[in-house]
Each structure stands twice: as C-alpha cells, then as structure tokens.
Amino acid sequence: MEPIKRNILLNPGPATTTDTVKYAQVVPDICPREKEFAGLMKGLRSDLCKVVHAPEPEYTSVLFCGSGTINIDVCINSLVPEGKKILVVNNGAYNTRAVEVCQMYHIPHIDLKSSVYEQPNLADVDKTLNENPDVAVVYCCHHETGTGVLNPIREIGAMAHRHGAVFITDSTASLGMIPLDVVKDNVDFCMASAQKGLMAMSGLSFIIGRRDIIEASKNYPTRSYYCNLYMQYECFEKTGEMHFTPPVQTIYATIQALKEYFEVGEDAKFARHRRVYEAIKKGVAELGLKEAIKDEIQSGLVVSVKYPDDSNWSFEKVHDYCYERGFTIYPGKISTTNTFRLCALGTIDVQDIEDFFVVFKEALVANNIQVPAKYN
Ligand SMILES: *Cc1c(COP(=O)(O)O)cnc(C)c1O
C-alpha cells in the first residue's frame, strides 16, 4: 500500500483520514442492489447505533446519500406532526441552518435566538415551552461548529421530554469525538456524516433515532420526496437497501473507519482529540492570539481565534502559506467578530499541531505580522 501525501486538516471536517480508510474505497465493482452489499449496510447501521450507545431495536439508524445538511433537512421535514410546531434553540450558524429549513418548508417554528458567544439560557427554553404547548419537537445543535460552543443537550432534552416533545440534536460535529449516550443524554434523534468524527469520506450521512417515533411519522405531513425519513427507513426495513443509489465507496470507507474507531475505543479517541485541542490552545496563546469563546463552554474540538489588530494581517495570505505546506486553516463563522478556526477533528496528534505552529509562525513573520499578536 503506497502511502498517500498526508495533509493536516484543521478545518471543521472533512478531516484527516488514515490511509487504510482511503484505500478501503478501492474495491471490486459491485452493484449495491446485491445481497452482499445490503449485508454490509446492515452491520454498518448497527455499528452506528453502538457509537452513541443507542439500544436496538428501540433505536435504529437510517442512512442517506448526501452531506451532513441532508440530516437536518430530513429530520425537520419529516418529524413535525400536522398542526404542531418545532422549537429551534438557536445560538449559532448551524441552528440557524435548521431555522432556514423550517422556513423553506413553511413549517411552523419558533426561532429562540440567543448570543452566539454563550450557551442557550435554559430558563428561556422552559418559558417558551410553557407558553407554547403546541411545540412537538425541540431542536438544538450539540456542538456549534461555527464558534466551538458546546450546548447543554442533556438538559434541553430533559426539558423537551417534560413537555412531551421529541428532542433532536445535530451532533454532526461531536459524534465519535465527544462521548454521547442517547439514552442518558435524552436524545431521540441525533445525526452526523461519515467525514467528521468517524474520519471516513464525505457523501454518507446518517440519523440515529427512536424507531417508534419514525414509525409514527408515517402519518405526518410529507414535505419532501427524496428526503423523507419514514420512506428511507421503510426501504431499509423491507429490503436492507437505500431507496436510491448509495455512495458505495464511502460506505466501504466508513466500515473501515468504524473498525478503527472501535479498535481505538471511545475514551482513547476522546483523549486524543482533547490533547490536540490543548496543543492548539497552547500554540495560540504562545503567539499572543486571542480566542473568541470562553474556555468553560468550549467543545474541545474547535478553537475560534480573533484576527489580530494588525494592518498586515491577511487570513488569505496566512492560509495560503500554510496550505502550500500541507496545513489547512479555516475561516470563522461569527458575523460580529472576525475569526478563523483551528479544529481538532481528524486523525492527527500533538506532533502535527507543533509542526503546524512552526509553519504558522513562519507565515506571520513572512507577512510582517507582529508576533506576539497585537490587539487594540
Ligand atoms: C459539518 C456540519 C454539518 C453539515 O455540513 P455539510 O456541509 O452539509 O456537511 C451540520 N451540522 C454541523 C454542526 C456541522 O458541523
């Protein structure tokens, strides 16, 4: 197996992958309608449940061909019953995406907006639920990748359940990286795509959720043909297949990635992400750079760094310098502050971060940007 050039991706996914995952895609051609392929997907669906400690058959997973946003679309368009509302607890860009899905499908919703620099206020969530007994679904992103804020989903889930509502969390940027236990965390539906925490390839997304709720949703208003949760679920139950063509090669890569995930184990993987994150914070602090989000509410996976007040600062130039040397940094997603992000997602370790900061510092010096960084 020829080693493939290793790039260190510090963007919030797709992430750096192992060569064994890359090469898992190189397989003999197969028609995905063969029983052999359905068998592969059966094992994959079950393993995905195990990642979030979802007991089967109470929970199941449903696969989709598409990027992570397809899950947000599917959950929202499929799980809101007739005459009911969805409450989006919104403190960032990915929750805003969920609100946009509601708008696009004309689904009655409440956009409970709060500061992107903070976790949502639980008392406000409770008050909104008390005032709106027609809320049937509560939605909140677990790790807001735009800022790196981790949201208190266990508490929000408990609150939703006390009010008889279903709780959906967008766990795209936490699943497989921060331990998640759907039962303890009061999660009815969570989601992710293969290229993030599982460190596989893009093109496969999945929703893990309560089977009884999926079955009940058979009678809910249908708002999409391609992206209906019940339709895809029913197809898997009856035939073991996706309704339409699956992302065949990505599925092989994901199976290999899950094998590697279980070999490493949840605790060791979590610990590795944590030490990569600590190494990023250390490097940022040593250059005098400032973070946009306070430590206590960070996910431990994304560091949002404020642009220095330096007339020579150019994200573009610094990015290009690093990119040419195999390191990818990423712009921020906060409309009120200029930030860039350094993320701890893929199969990288402390040494990669130390190597990165050597190059990053060179990039600053090469562009006459002051070190330590200057802020007014
Ligand atoms: C990456 C991500 C998504 C999906 O984004 P795509 O560009 O569609 O892959 C959804 N939610 C969160 C929190 C994410 O980090």
Side-chain angles (χ1 to χ4, degrees):
M1 198 171 77
E2 189 81 7
I4 298 172
K5 178 176 177 268
R6 188 157 175 271
N7 288 329
I8 305 302
L9 301 188
L10 301 175
N11 50 299
T16 299
T17 58
T18 60
D19 281 0
T20 37
V21 165
K22 292 183 190 82
Y23 276 112
Q25 299 175 101
V26 184
V27 289
D29 294 319
I30 183 169
C31 170
R33 299 294 175 205
E34 287 300 327
K35 278 199 287 301
E36 182 187 345
F37 197 77
L40 289 176
M41 284 197 287
K42 188 160 187 262
L44 169 61
R45 288 177 65 208
S46 185
D47 281 346
L48 290 171
C49 289
K50 291 190 181 88
V51 173
V52 294
H53 307 279
E56 294 177 278
E58 292 82 2
Y59 284 78
T60 188
S61 72
V62 183
L63 313 180
F64 288 88
C65 182
S67 83
T69 304
I70 200 171
N71 294 325
I72 304 176
D73 187 323
V74 168
C75 280
I76 291 178
N77 87 55
S78 306
L79 292 171
V80 183
E82 186 78 60
K84 300 287 185 183
K85 276 190 194 134
I86 175 168
L87 166 64
V88 180
V89 180
N90 180 1
N91 66 334
Y94 286 94
N95 280 313
T96 299
R97 193 170 293 179
V99 171
E100 287 165 4
V101 172
C102 296
Q103 290 167 344
M104 200 68 104
Y105 287 111
H106 309 287
I107 295 171
H109 64 281
I110 300 169
D111 177 8
L112 184 65
K113 251 194 173 135
S114 59
S115 166
V116 302
Y117 302 100
E118 304 289 340
Q119 291 177 325
N121 182 314
L122 294 173
D124 289 345
V125 178
D126 201 39
K127 183 165 174 282
T128 308
L129 285 168
N130 280 325
E131 289 169 355
N132 295 277
D134 56 349
V135 167
V137 180
V138 176
Y139 182 103
C140 185
C141 185
H142 186 202
H143 166 209
E144 255 294 352
T145 332
T147 50
V149 171
L150 192 71
N151 286 331
I153 55 162
R154 185 175 291 189
E155 289 76 9
I156 296 171
M159 226 170 242
H161 290 167
R162 274 203 300 280
H163 286 84
V166 166
F167 181 54
I168 304 173
T169 188
D170 172 359
S171 54
T172 314
S174 55
L175 188 145
M177 296 181 284
I178 298 174
L180 183 66
D181 181 315
V182 288
V183 176
K184 285 191 196 138
D185 288 323
N186 304 312
V187 170
D188 299 310
F189 290 89
C190 64
M191 59 183 82
S193 52
Q195 89 272 12
K196 292 217 176 173
L198 298 178
M199 309 189 306
M201 299 295 152
S202 52
L204 176 71
S205 293
F206 50 88
I207 294 165
I208 301 161
R210 290 245 318 261
R211 189 185 292 270
D212 57 339
I213 300 171
I214 300 175
E215 286 180 353
S217 76
K218 182 181 182 183
N219 303 313
Y220 293 179
T222 49
R223 303 172 175 102
S224 169
Y225 177 71
Y226 197 81
C227 295
N228 181 268
L229 181 58
Y230 180 77
M231 187 157 105
Q232 187 82 318
Y233 163 81
E234 189 189 30
C235 203
F236 270 115
E237 291 303 300
K238 285 193 175 146
T239 67
E241 292 177 19
M242 263 191 210
H243 201 168
F244 305 109
T245 306
V248 177
Q249 281 66 31
T250 302
I251 285 173
Y252 281 102
T254 309
I255 289 167
Q256 175 63 25
L258 280 163
K259 186 168 162 252
E260 294 174 18
Y261 174 85
F262 291 117
E263 275 164 14
V264 170
E266 182 179 73
D267 292 344
K269 188 164 185 290
F270 176 52
R272 179 176 61 72
H273 287 298
R274 203 70 208 184
R275 65 177 179 263
V276 169
Y277 163 77
E278 296 296 345
I280 293 172
K281 288 174 86 72
K282 182 164 169 273
V284 163
E286 278 171 3
L287 292 171
L289 289 162
K290 289 189 178 160
E291 295 184 36
I293 304 295
K294 54 181 183 265
D295 285 349
E296 312 86 82
I297 59 168
Q298 288 188 23
S299 63
L301 294 167
V302 170
V303 180
S304 285
V305 185
K306 287 188 195 169
Y307 283 6
D309 297 313
D310 187 319
S311 54
N312 289 329
W313 169 259
S314 158
F315 173 78
E316 193 109 50
K317 284 183 185 158
V318 173
H319 165 275
D320 291 355
Y321 188 99
C322 296
Y323 181 78
E324 283 154 21
R325 289 156 183 82
F327 298 93
T328 301
I329 64 174
Y330 205 68
K333 228 183 184 48
I334 308 179
S335 58
T336 46
T337 313
N338 282 321
T339 54
F340 66 95
R341 284 177 285 176
L342 301 174
C343 308
L345 264 65
T347 172
I348 57 176
D349 216 324
V350 172
Q351 187 61 54
D352 298 311
I353 301 303
E354 288 171 358
D355 295 346
F356 161 71
F357 275 107
V358 171
V359 170
F360 186 78
K361 191 173 177 184
E362 273 171 28
L364 298 181
V365 172
N367 288 290
N368 296 312
I369 300 160
Q370 213 173 292
V371 178
K374 188 174 74 179
Y375 289 91
N376 297 334

